[in-house]
Amino acid sequence: MELRSTVYRHLVDHGAAPSRQHLTELVGDVEETDALLAELHDRHLLVLDDRDGRVGNIRMALPFSNDPTDFVVTTDSGRWWANCAWDSLAILAALRIDGRITSTWSDTGRPVGLAVSDGRLVDARGSIHFAVPAARWWDDIVFT
Amino acid sequence: MWTLTQDWYGDRLDPDYSPASIETLQALLDGVGLTDAFWNLTA
């Protein structure tokens, strides 16, 4: 079983990443599961959670967030949280389907909506702010 | 941004996904005009 692919498939199908417990049941061994997840985390293919009560679970499978965020992506097939504005677009790009993004403008607090229709971004106005230089994105990916 | 995003993330869900090299990703940024030092992927 290719764990990364399994995680992403579960996330797409269910709107959330599989739990560490679920993955352990699939893999059959908790130590092997943790080792596989740690390797994926070290290779920046997943982001594991280090918060109390959630250690070892998946926090992010970029561009998807496993926690509720202000960036919600909705398609006819499902609904997912993104980590940021760029990840919102990235979810639709990764799914290769049309959909809608809802969020809030950070400067005004007003709601913002974007849509991809027929594979094209519709009426795209505004900007995405990148606060962290690219070389440092993975210094603290949760902050980024 | 949309074009960049499609190129950057378009294959993320492929079962055979393999991360692109830094050089490939840098070329994607360059290709959409993000050539300022801020966008350098390597320190």
Side-chain angles (χ1 to χ4, degrees):
Chain A
M1 173 191 59
E2 203 282 308
L3 194 65
R4 182 201 164 275
S5 184
T6 299
V7 167
Y8 273 89
R9 178 48 47 199
H10 187 282
L11 202 156
V12 169
D13 290 346
H14 299 285
S19 67
R20 177 172 170 255
Q21 178 181 349
H22 179 78
L23 291 172
T24 299
E25 291 169 5
L26 293 176
V27 172
D29 179 86
V30 63
E31 287 183 4
E32 183 178 352
T33 301
D34 286 345
L36 290 169
L37 288 171
E39 180 189 353
L40 291 171
H41 176 88
D42 291 343
R43 293 172 59 200
H44 296 170
L45 295 175
L46 292 175
V47 178
L48 295 182
D49 213 326
D50 59 358
R51 295 172 293 180
D52 288 345
R54 305 183 193 194
V55 172
N57 281 290
I58 295 166
R59 185 168 187 172
M60 299 177 183
L62 295 175
F64 300 88
S65 170
N66 201 33
D67 287 339
T69 70
D70 190 37
F71 303 94
V72 180
V73 180
T74 306
T75 73
D76 290 344
S77 321
R79 189 167 179 263
W80 301 269
W81 297 299
N83 298 290
C84 62
W86 189 20
D87 282 356
S88 303
L89 294 172
I91 286 175
L92 292 176
L95 291 170
R96 300 178 190 159
I97 56 177
D98 293 343
R100 299 165 301 286
I101 297 164
T102 56
S103 188
T104 307
W105 288 114
S106 60
D107 54 349
T108 64
R110 294 176 60 189
V112 61
L114 291 174
V116 171
S117 178
D118 293 328
R120 289 193 295 263
L121 193 58
V122 177
D123 191 26
R125 286 175 288 170
S127 57
I128 296 177
H129 176 69
F130 287 77
V132 179
R136 308 202 52 190
W137 284 344
W138 280 95
D139 288 0
D140 183 345
I141 193 63
V142 173
F143 173 79
T144 299
Chain B
M1 196 71 209
W2 179 234
T3 301
L4 171 66
T5 306
Q6 290 174 297
D7 291 339
W8 194 287
Y9 280 102
D11 63 346
R12 191 59 57 106
L13 298 178
D14 291 354
D16 299 332
Y17 168 77
S18 180
S21 68
I22 291 291
E23 292 75 19
T24 298
L25 296 176
Q26 195 71 67
L28 291 179
L29 294 170
D30 290 349
V32 293
L34 297 177
T35 57
D36 183 79
F38 182 91
W39 298 102
N40 287 346
L41 291 167
T42 55

